[in-house]
Amino acid sequence: LKCLRKGQLLRYQQVEHVVNEKRVLALCDHPFILKLAGTFNRETEIFMLLEVALGGELFTYLRQQTRFDEEQACLYAAMVTAAFGYLHERKIAHRDLKPENLLFDAEGYLKLVDFGFAKVIRDRTWTLCGTPEYLAPEIILEKGHGKAVDWWAFGVLFYEMLNGHSPFEAEDHLATYQKILDGTVNYPSKMPALAVDLVGKLLQKDITRRYGNLKDGAG
């Protein structure tokens, strides 16, 4: 049961974030997306009753393991792909994929969480949002973006799962953004050739050629 104090939401300008989360989760019913069972409104608080996922964050597990083997990374990647396919069919972009926003349930399946930046996008939107190392070039350039940003972030996540670090690590946000815009990715020699090929097709600056955003979508 997630308890949110209205005063704090106003103070930290999180009202739109919470309204977005509630609105989008209410549209979703998918095994790899955290379910919203109900919301309750009191004078000073809002309550969100969410599905239980007590297995911890993918972030914590990845830090403990350092990196995942190919089979493990592919399994988790498949769950994220299925969740994104479901969302994108409904015109919803998540816009904040990262290991911290993937939780394990009791059986070891992933649940995509934190839909505060999620949005129904019919054409393009211009809001600068997300986590620096996962931002697609079109978000940084503020040229308008759509659901394709999720597939860029997925490419970053897949690379990180296999190597234990982001492809765009840098000392500060500006340096990170510059690396993303340059588009240069260093692939360790131990990284499987098929994974290198997939990441390259996901970290594609041209959204008309980016995997996941092609004619067949997540298929």
Side-chain angles (χ1 to χ4, degrees):
L1 185 65
K2 187 173 174 179
C3 173
L4 305 161
R5 300 189 186 281
K6 292 180 179 178
Q8 288 183 339
L9 294 179
L10 288 167
R11 190 176 308 121
Y12 297 114
Q13 299 180 320
Q14 292 292 303
V15 175
E16 186 181 356
H17 190 92
V18 172
V19 170
N20 269 352
E21 184 163 29
K22 187 261 181 187
R23 185 183 296 136
V24 172
L25 284 176
L27 297 172
C28 297
D29 182 12
H30 189 273
F32 304 137
I33 296 173
L34 197 73
K35 289 181 176 61
L36 175 68
T39 56
F40 312 92
N41 190 1
R42 280 191 180 171
E43 187 177 344
T44 58
E45 294 123 352
I46 295 167
F47 296 93
M48 298 173 75
L49 185 60
L50 296 158
E51 178 184 6
V52 175
L54 300 178
E57 297 176 351
L58 180 70
F59 175 85
T60 306
Y61 187 44
L62 180 55
R63 290 298 171 269
Q64 289 170 347
Q65 299 281 101
T66 308
R67 64 180 65 86
F68 298 147
D69 62 38
E70 188 178 358
E71 187 177 1
Q72 201 174 11
C74 285
L75 175 64
Y76 298 148
M79 294 180 199
V80 176
T81 301
F84 275 173
Y86 177 88
L87 291 173
H88 293 175
E89 281 176 8
R90 287 152 183 78
K91 312 287 187 197
I92 298 167
H94 182 267
R95 303 198 298 173
D96 199 18
L97 179 70
K98 55 185 175 181
E100 295 92 323
N101 286 342
L102 290 162
L103 300 182
F104 289 102
D105 67 10
E107 285 151 354
Y109 291 103
L110 286 178
K111 303 282 183 177
L112 183 62
V113 305
D114 196 345
F115 281 71
F117 288 137
K119 188 174 185 178
V120 175
I121 301 177
R122 307 209 177 274
D123 180 25
R124 283 189 295 172
T125 187
W126 280 262
T127 316
L128 178 62
C129 63
T131 301
E133 289 178 4
Y134 286 80
L135 293 183
E138 59 266 32
I139 296 181
I140 296 168
L141 295 171
E142 297 185 79
K143 290 185 172 180
H145 63 269
K147 300 184 294 296
V149 300
D150 283 344
W151 295 113
W152 176 281
F154 175 66
V156 176
L157 177 75
F158 193 50
Y159 179 102
E160 188 171 347
M161 286 195 294
L162 287 167
N163 298 297
H165 60 86
S166 162
F168 303 114
E169 275 187 332
E171 292 177 6
D172 56 50
H173 291 349
L174 284 178
T176 298
Y177 295 157
Q178 193 55 58
K179 276 192 168 185
I180 292 167
L181 294 176
D182 290 344
T184 306
V185 177
N186 293 317
Y187 295 101
S189 57
K190 64 182 179 299
M191 193 168 165
L194 284 174
V196 171
D197 182 60
L198 175 59
V199 171
K201 287 170 177 171
L202 290 162
L203 300 182
Q204 166 60 253
K205 285 196 274 189
D206 181 352
I207 64 168
T208 65
R209 297 170 59 199
R210 188 179 300 163
Y211 259 33
N213 196 50
L214 305 180
K215 185 178 68 172
D216 295 330

